[in-house]
Amino acid sequence: MPRRVLVTGGAGFIGSHLCERLLGQGHEVLCVDNFYSSSRVNVEHLIAHPRFELMRHDVTFPLYVEVDEIYHLACPASPIHYQRDPVQTTKTSVHGSINMLGLAKRTKARILLASTSEVYGDPTIHPQSEDYWGNVNPIGPRSCYDEGKRCAETLFMDYRRQHGMDTKIVRIFNTYGPRMAPDDGRVVSNFIMQALAGEPLTMYGSGQQTRSFCYVDDLVDGLLAMMNTPPDVSGPVNLGNPEEVTMQQLAAKVAEIVGVDASIVHEPLPTDDPMQRMPDATLAGRLLGWSAQVPLDKGLEQTVNWFQKQYGNNMAGSP
Ligand code: NAD
Ligand code: UDP
């Protein structure tokens, strides 16, 4: 049945794909964004759609609309963006979640939080399953994001317990694909932009640290599946692709797909950069029947093609 769906952060990388999919399913979509780490360009192609509405709004302020479902994605996600104004990042996670939970409470809407694998911090167990409480520095440069999301998770569980609401939490692991911002400093976009420009790839630290990258189409499937679970399913549920690679391996893959013999330039490892990260995605399989389907090589190829089309002819000034 068609629903009125609010996507906060809907003009962002993941949000724009989610809006597209929801429209494709026949829903009405209200995309709310303050364009802190994105621009209208990501949803430009949706603006004329009769069931799509774009509203500029900062979720740290209350929002009065009528909706049936809320995907709460608003929050800068890349270290460069979330560290630019760390106080605003914490406010977005905490005040933003309180406002969206208040809205869900009034409208009796189901609400889903896009949390993050960063709640596990620099994990001491591997792979990370949902029952691991994490190893997070509460006072470092990443804390505004990690602790902000941890507090948002607390709020989602407390609104459920205290007000009997249908709240859901997913913990998203590194996601990549078309519409990643070219200048947001994330490793996939950096390596692709650098390789396309024929520049050396910037490797932070030794490059032995690992991540597990999930293609955005898979991730959106997981978000939709989680939203459609019965009210007693709260999560948190990990959403990620358990195909773990070192940053050295990732650099080699990107260079091969772009077809360049890229050199590597080493730069210092950022403070509190996690050494390893890989989801235990068993719970998502059991609860949602979901698992990532797109292998890293294929997803990277599609992402490189998109970057090539967007930026291929104008590579000066890549990150
Ligand atoms: P993104 O930066 O592209 O999208 C976030 C969107 O939120 C942007 O459009 C931004 O302008 C908007 N926003 C930020 N603060 C806001 C505010 N106060 N009010 C309204 N809008 C605001 O990032 P993304 O990768 O699409 O991430 C989307 C969500 O998924 C985030 O909540 C992020 O924490 C989570 N997540 C993403 C990843 C990933 O690898 N991409 C991993 C884990 C979690
Ligand atoms: N990284 C890198 N070169 C870059 C950008 C990032 O080696 O140009 C590393 C970074 O230090 C981290 C990994 O790649 O170990 C993933 O970084 P990203 O910012 O994409 O995600 P996060 O650290 O938030 O998982």
Side-chain angles (χ1 to χ4, degrees):
M1 208 179 93
R3 295 183 291 271
R4 293 164 304 174
V5 185
L6 166 62
V7 180
T8 74
F13 157 52
I14 296 175
S16 62
H17 288 273
L18 177 61
C19 289
E20 240 169 48
R21 289 283 288 280
L22 289 164
L23 287 171
Q25 292 185 343
H27 302 299
E28 264 181 51
V29 175
L30 172 59
C31 168
V32 163
D33 206 297
N34 69 347
F35 307 114
Y36 177 87
S37 54
S38 65
S39 80
R40 262 190 205 78
V41 173
N42 283 342
V43 287
E44 207 172 27
H45 59 299
L46 304 178
I47 289 187
H49 195 292
R51 280 183 278 103
F52 181 77
E53 190 179 345
L54 176 63
M55 181 192 287
R56 179 193 280 266
H57 176 79
D58 179 334
V59 295
T60 63
F61 295 96
L63 176 67
Y64 294 92
V65 292
E66 303 307 316
V67 289
D68 306 309
E69 275 178 6
I70 304 172
Y71 289 86
H72 183 36
L73 273 61
C75 185
S78 83
I80 286 187
H81 285 148
Y82 70 66
Q83 290 174 20
R84 188 170 74 214
D85 185 349
V87 173
Q88 173 65 14
T89 299
T90 303
K91 276 191 194 166
T92 291
S93 271
V94 179
H95 294 188
S97 291
I98 291 172
N99 288 330
M100 293 310 107
L101 284 160
L103 171 62
K105 183 166 161 245
R106 180 178 64 75
T107 55
K108 300 190 172 40
R110 251 186 247 172
I111 181 166
L112 178 147
L113 172 68
S115 185
T116 170
S117 54
E118 290 280 333
V119 300
Y120 300 123
D122 192 3
T124 53
I125 67 149
H126 196 69
Q128 294 80 54
S129 54
E130 292 82 351
D131 54 6
Y132 177 51
W133 289 355
N135 177 36
V136 176
N137 178 358
I139 56 168
R142 293 176 89 100
S143 310
C144 58
Y145 184 69
D146 301 8
E147 296 289 17
K149 289 286 188 180
R150 286 169 69 96
C151 183
E153 288 199 8
T154 307
L155 286 162
F156 269 64
M157 292 309 292
D158 281 337
Y159 269 74
R160 166 175 279 269
R161 284 184 287 254
Q162 198 172 329
H163 300 297
M165 287 169 53
D166 187 358
T167 63
K168 301 181 184 301
I169 300 169
V170 292
R171 292 181 178 155
I172 301 172
F173 284 65
N174 296 62
T175 299
Y176 70 101
R179 297 201 205 114
M180 292 184 87
D183 57 353
D184 73 0
R186 283 189 261 201
V187 68
V188 172
S189 42
N190 269 10
F191 284 177
I192 293 177
M193 289 296 284
Q194 291 157 349
L196 288 173
E199 290 168 2
L201 310 192
T202 50
M203 186 69 65
Y204 301 165
S206 67
Q208 288 311 305
Q209 68 272 33
T210 69
R211 294 292 186 273
S212 307
F213 295 97
C214 183
Y215 191 64
V216 66
D217 290 354
D218 278 338
L219 198 267
V220 169
D221 285 338
L223 296 176
L224 296 168
M226 183 65 179
M227 184 60 104
N228 289 315
T229 52
D232 62 315
V233 177
S234 65
V237 175
N238 287 341
L239 292 181
N241 185 341
E243 191 182 342
E244 185 184 20
V245 288
T246 65
M247 294 310 99
Q248 287 284 2
Q249 288 167 330
L250 179 72
K253 278 180 189 292
V254 170
E256 193 190 327
I257 292 168
V258 174
V260 290
D261 193 10
S263 59
I264 299 283
V265 52
H266 285 272
E267 294 185 7
L269 193 66
T271 309
D272 296 334
D273 196 281
M275 268 318 290
Q276 52 179 5
R277 182 182 292 154
M278 174 179 148
D280 176 339
T282 315
L283 186 63
R286 186 154 51 76
L287 276 181
L288 314 177
W290 178 90
S291 62
Q293 300 296 311
V294 182
L296 182 57
D297 287 318
K298 184 164 172 238
L300 280 177
E301 247 173 63
Q302 288 170 198
T303 310
V304 165
N305 285 343
W306 182 84
F307 271 85
Q308 176 92 61
K309 278 199 202 104
Q310 288 301 113
Y311 307 105
N313 297 328
N314 180 23
M315 295 307 300
S318 68

